mmCIF file of all heavy atoms in Angstrom:
data_model
loop_
_atom_site.group_PDB
_atom_site.id
_atom_site.type_symbol
_atom_site.label_atom_id
_atom_site.label_comp_id
_atom_site.label_asym_id
_atom_site.label_seq_id
_atom_site.Cartn_x
_atom_site.Cartn_y
_atom_site.Cartn_z
ATOM 1 N N ALA A 122 121.685 109.345 111.661
ATOM 2 C CA ALA A 122 122.393 108.071 111.835
ATOM 3 C C ALA A 122 122.611 107.757 113.310
ATOM 4 O O ALA A 122 122.448 106.601 113.743
ATOM 5 C CB ALA A 122 123.731 108.116 111.092
ATOM 6 N N LEU A 123 122.979 108.763 114.093
ATOM 7 C CA LEU A 123 123.143 108.535 115.538
ATOM 8 C C LEU A 123 121.843 108.070 116.171
ATOM 9 O O LEU A 123 121.826 107.143 116.995
ATOM 10 C CB LEU A 123 123.610 109.821 116.232
ATOM 11 C CG LEU A 123 125.055 110.264 116.072
ATOM 12 C CD1 LEU A 123 125.356 111.413 117.034
ATOM 13 C CD2 LEU A 123 126.028 109.123 116.321
ATOM 14 N N TRP A 124 120.737 108.711 115.801
ATOM 15 C CA TRP A 124 119.449 108.398 116.412
ATOM 16 C C TRP A 124 118.956 107.010 116.009
ATOM 17 O O TRP A 124 118.413 106.270 116.836
ATOM 18 C CB TRP A 124 118.430 109.462 116.002
ATOM 19 C CG TRP A 124 117.149 109.375 116.774
ATOM 20 C CD1 TRP A 124 116.928 109.709 118.075
ATOM 21 C CD2 TRP A 124 115.888 108.876 116.283
ATOM 22 N NE1 TRP A 124 115.616 109.466 118.422
ATOM 23 C CE2 TRP A 124 114.955 108.961 117.351
ATOM 24 C CE3 TRP A 124 115.468 108.391 115.050
ATOM 25 C CZ2 TRP A 124 113.632 108.560 117.209
ATOM 26 C CZ3 TRP A 124 114.138 107.990 114.905
ATOM 27 C CH2 TRP A 124 113.234 108.083 115.983
ATOM 28 N N LEU A 125 119.162 106.636 114.758
ATOM 29 C CA LEU A 125 118.635 105.357 114.275
ATOM 30 C C LEU A 125 119.578 104.183 114.560
ATOM 31 O O LEU A 125 119.124 103.083 114.870
ATOM 32 C CB LEU A 125 118.382 105.429 112.764
ATOM 33 C CG LEU A 125 117.248 106.359 112.306
ATOM 34 C CD1 LEU A 125 117.184 106.394 110.785
ATOM 35 C CD2 LEU A 125 115.909 105.906 112.872
ATOM 36 N N LEU A 126 120.898 104.406 114.458
ATOM 37 C CA LEU A 126 121.848 103.298 114.530
ATOM 38 C C LEU A 126 122.539 103.167 115.885
ATOM 39 O O LEU A 126 123.039 102.100 116.228
ATOM 40 C CB LEU A 126 122.903 103.457 113.429
ATOM 41 C CG LEU A 126 122.339 103.450 112.000
ATOM 42 C CD1 LEU A 126 123.427 103.832 111.000
ATOM 43 C CD2 LEU A 126 121.764 102.086 111.650
ATOM 44 N N LYS A 127 122.618 104.263 116.614
ATOM 45 C CA LYS A 127 123.196 104.256 117.967
ATOM 46 C C LYS A 127 124.578 103.591 118.036
ATOM 47 O O LYS A 127 124.782 102.601 118.749
ATOM 48 C CB LYS A 127 122.237 103.583 118.946
ATOM 49 C CG LYS A 127 120.928 104.338 119.122
ATOM 50 C CD LYS A 127 119.989 103.629 120.066
ATOM 51 C CE LYS A 127 118.753 104.477 120.349
ATOM 52 N NZ LYS A 127 118.027 104.893 119.143
ATOM 53 N N PRO A 128 125.562 104.125 117.319
ATOM 54 C CA PRO A 128 126.924 103.555 117.403
ATOM 55 C C PRO A 128 127.548 103.837 118.763
ATOM 56 O O PRO A 128 127.224 104.827 119.424
ATOM 57 C CB PRO A 128 127.663 104.300 116.283
ATOM 58 C CG PRO A 128 126.937 105.607 116.158
ATOM 59 C CD PRO A 128 125.496 105.291 116.428
ATOM 60 N N GLU A 129 128.451 102.969 119.158
ATOM 61 C CA GLU A 129 129.169 103.172 120.415
ATOM 62 C C GLU A 129 130.349 104.121 120.229
ATOM 63 O O GLU A 129 130.725 104.838 121.151
ATOM 64 C CB GLU A 129 129.675 101.829 120.945
ATOM 65 C CG GLU A 129 128.581 100.854 121.305
ATOM 66 C CD GLU A 129 129.137 99.486 121.610
ATOM 67 O OE1 GLU A 129 129.695 99.324 122.723
ATOM 68 O OE2 GLU A 129 129.050 98.582 120.761
ATOM 69 N N ILE A 130 130.926 104.089 119.031
ATOM 70 C CA ILE A 130 132.082 104.936 118.753
ATOM 71 C C ILE A 130 132.028 105.366 117.291
ATOM 72 O O ILE A 130 131.605 104.603 116.424
ATOM 73 C CB ILE A 130 133.406 104.179 119.081
ATOM 74 C CG1 ILE A 130 134.598 105.126 119.003
ATOM 75 C CG2 ILE A 130 133.588 102.965 118.191
ATOM 76 C CD1 ILE A 130 135.878 104.546 119.601
ATOM 77 N N VAL A 131 132.415 106.605 117.036
ATOM 78 C CA VAL A 131 132.432 107.163 115.681
ATOM 79 C C VAL A 131 133.846 107.640 115.379
ATOM 80 O O VAL A 131 134.440 108.375 116.170
ATOM 81 C CB VAL A 131 131.442 108.336 115.534
ATOM 82 C CG1 VAL A 131 131.533 108.942 114.127
ATOM 83 C CG2 VAL A 131 130.016 107.888 115.826
ATOM 84 N N PHE A 132 134.376 107.207 114.235
ATOM 85 C CA PHE A 132 135.686 107.664 113.783
ATOM 86 C C PHE A 132 135.504 108.552 112.548
ATOM 87 O O PHE A 132 134.755 108.196 111.623
ATOM 88 C CB PHE A 132 136.585 106.482 113.403
ATOM 89 C CG PHE A 132 136.953 105.592 114.551
ATOM 90 C CD1 PHE A 132 136.269 104.398 114.771
ATOM 91 C CD2 PHE A 132 137.993 105.931 115.412
ATOM 92 C CE1 PHE A 132 136.607 103.565 115.824
ATOM 93 C CE2 PHE A 132 138.334 105.097 116.472
ATOM 94 C CZ PHE A 132 137.643 103.914 116.676
ATOM 95 N N ILE A 133 136.190 109.684 112.526
ATOM 96 C CA ILE A 133 136.237 110.534 111.336
ATOM 97 C C ILE A 133 137.688 110.561 110.870
ATOM 98 O O ILE A 133 138.581 111.013 111.594
ATOM 99 C CB ILE A 133 135.725 111.958 111.603
ATOM 100 C CG1 ILE A 133 134.326 111.909 112.227
ATOM 101 C CG2 ILE A 133 135.688 112.761 110.304
ATOM 102 C CD1 ILE A 133 133.708 113.282 112.491
#
Side-chain angles (χ1 to χ4, degrees):
L123 285 190
W124 191 72
L125 292 176
L126 299 171
K127 295 179 174 55
E129 296 171 76
I130 189 167
V131 177
F132 294 99
I133 306 182

